[in-house]
Amino acid sequence: MLAFFRRRWFLLCITVVIACGVYAGHEGSQETLSHLKQFIRPSWLTAIVLFLMSLSLNSEHLLSSIRKPGPMFLSLATNIILLPLIAWALLPLQLTADFQIGLIIMACVPCTLCGASVWTRRGGGNDGVSLMVTMITNGACFLTVPFWILLITSREIEFDRVAMVTKLFYAAMLPVLFGQILRMNKTIKQFADRITSRLGTVALIFVLFMVLLAAVQTGYGIQTSEVGISLAAVAVVWISCIVVHVGGFFTNLLLGKTFRFHPRDRIASAIAGSQKTLPIAVFVATDASMFGNAGIPSAVFPLLMFHTSQFFIDTILADRHREKYMTSSEPEPVETEPQPVSACEQ
């Protein structure tokens, strides 16, 4: 039991935080929510989380993905283009407008900062591909996220495009770049590599604070909403999240097989192409200045559903891939120091 909690503590904690936060928001008042917002600032927390995770990213394996860029380009196309298109196609099925926006946001945000590399290693894949996709998608998200939201929702909602681009630039791109610049210093790099697990744990604690705010806002939104949220609406959007993730994964995997990529490159491309990060998604959904003072209180539901589902699904898919392709032949060496899954579920 202790070993299970050590490996799955974040998923267990996020489940408790969501449940308690939604209940507190539903039973609380506007004053309670206002006090919470004074202590939890999504923009600052996002910047801290992305900096810590960037500082722990080992970029020494990037050259392998640059020499053979096919898997990387396929993964980028999946993450930046294919997943938003799948989500767009599923919008008419959603039963509430907030869930539509939440599904769009989750499909548009970049790849997980560390989770993609962890699950790539678990599947015996080439983490050089996952690292490169992680860095590019997170570095460019201040442009790609507003582009897709504007394209898909321009006739349905209004949001401050300049504020979104500016805030994502400062909260997402700069922390990632700063973390990688610091790693150029040998002493800092060695220190960060020694405490990678601790950095990931601290980052996840900050993520839990962001999720708490999002859950409280969701609960309060349910309390004040004139349109109730049915179990059918929750079921439809959860299935849609799974379809977006699994659809992107298997499309990428099949194309990689068609292009005759090595199995190590195929699994890396599929995982990095289909995973999405939670901090930036919660930041976009909960920052009222981006979507107006009214906000989109229930949009956080699809974000949490997608994030929780992808890791359970990818654990099964990565293990099956390793059993199928990596038992008969040993994969090329990857980073020797293991990183606990629970410390990198970003």
Side-chain angles (χ1 to χ4, degrees):
M1 179 64 70
L2 185 62
F4 176 83
F5 181 78
R6 188 180 295 115
R7 289 179 60 84
R8 297 288 182 263
W9 71 269
F10 181 69
L11 294 178
L12 295 173
C13 287
I14 200 174
T15 302
V16 174
V17 167
I18 292 171
C20 294
V22 171
Y23 177 80
H26 187 269
E27 300 298 322
S29 62
Q30 177 65 45
E31 184 179 359
T32 303
L33 181 59
S34 299
H35 285 316
L36 187 62
K37 288 182 177 180
Q38 292 178 356
F39 295 98
I40 301 179
R41 302 297 181 96
S43 57
W44 283 99
L45 290 180
T46 300
I48 293 172
V49 168
L50 296 189
F51 168 73
L52 292 175
M53 301 310 294
S54 176
L55 190 63
S56 67
L57 281 177
N58 190 337
S59 57
E60 293 179 352
H61 301 287
L62 298 180
L63 289 179
S64 62
S65 64
I66 296 175
R67 286 193 294 265
K68 297 180 179 179
M72 178 189 68
F73 286 140
L74 177 59
S75 187
L76 288 172
T78 302
N79 197 282
I80 297 176
I81 300 175
L82 179 60
L83 264 62
L85 289 177
I86 297 175
W88 195 354
L90 295 172
L91 286 189
L93 301 178
Q94 308 311 311
L95 302 180
T96 68
D98 283 4
F99 284 1
Q100 289 181 330
I101 304 303
L103 185 62
I104 293 169
I105 292 174
M106 197 67 232
C108 296
V109 295
C111 174
T112 53
L113 265 172
C114 198
S117 293
V118 170
W119 265 264
T120 294
R121 297 186 192 110
R122 186 181 185 116
N126 178 7
D127 63 346
V129 173
S130 61
L131 284 169
M132 183 62 79
V133 173
T134 292
M135 294 177 65
I136 293 176
T137 56
N138 280 271
C141 73
F142 74 101
L143 295 175
T144 57
V145 173
F147 167 79
W148 277 111
I149 294 179
L150 174 62
L151 178 64
I152 298 174
T153 69
S154 58
R155 296 183 181 180
E156 301 176 17
I157 63 171
E158 294 182 359
F159 64 95
D160 191 332
R161 301 160 196 171
V162 176
M164 180 174 288
V165 171
T166 303
K167 288 195 172 188
L168 282 173
F169 178 80
Y170 286 115
M173 183 176 182
L174 287 186
V176 172
L177 291 178
F178 188 48
Q180 287 297 301
I181 290 173
L182 287 181
R183 283 188 64 88
M184 294 179 181
N185 182 284
K186 185 177 180 179
T187 302
I188 295 177
K189 176 182 177 298
Q190 292 176 345
F191 176 73
D193 289 341
R194 287 198 303 270
I195 62 169
T196 293
S197 178
R198 296 177 183 177
L199 289 175
T201 300
V202 173
L204 292 180
I205 292 173
F206 283 122
V207 171
L208 288 176
F209 280 107
M210 296 176 63
V211 172
L212 174 62
L213 175 61
V216 172
Q217 286 183 305
T218 300
Y220 183 74
I222 294 173
Q223 176 197 151
T224 58
S225 176
E226 298 179 358
V227 180
I229 298 177
S230 64
L231 290 177
V234 173
V236 169
V237 75
W238 202 328
I239 293 173
S240 299
C241 290
I242 294 174
V243 169
V244 172
H245 177 65
V246 174
F249 183 96
F250 280 106
T251 299
N252 186 293
L253 207 61
L254 290 174
L255 288 175
K257 190 172 183 178
T258 301
F259 297 146
R260 297 187 178 182
F261 295 154
H262 191 278
R264 296 182 65 248
D265 294 331
R266 293 205 300 265
I267 190 64
S269 180
I271 289 176
S274 60
Q275 284 195 3
K276 294 291 184 175
T277 189
L278 182 64
I280 294 178
V282 173
F283 170 49
V284 173
T286 58
D287 195 305
S289 66
M290 293 188 181
F291 289 95
N293 293 329
I296 41 176
S298 300
V300 73
F301 270 6
L303 316 183
L304 304 177
M305 294 171 185
F306 191 105
H307 177 79
T308 304
S309 301
Q310 70 179 355
F311 290 129
F312 283 110
I313 294 171
D314 286 355
T315 298
I316 297 173
L317 296 176
D319 289 346
R320 289 186 61 183
H321 182 274
R322 188 177 190 93
E323 292 173 2
K324 183 176 181 179
Y325 291 103
M326 302 303 161
T327 53
S328 58
S329 60
E330 190 70 22
E332 297 176 19
V334 293
E335 188 177 347
T336 56
E337 183 179 353
Q339 297 183 9
V341 170
S342 60
C344 297
E345 288 177 348
Q346 241 350 57

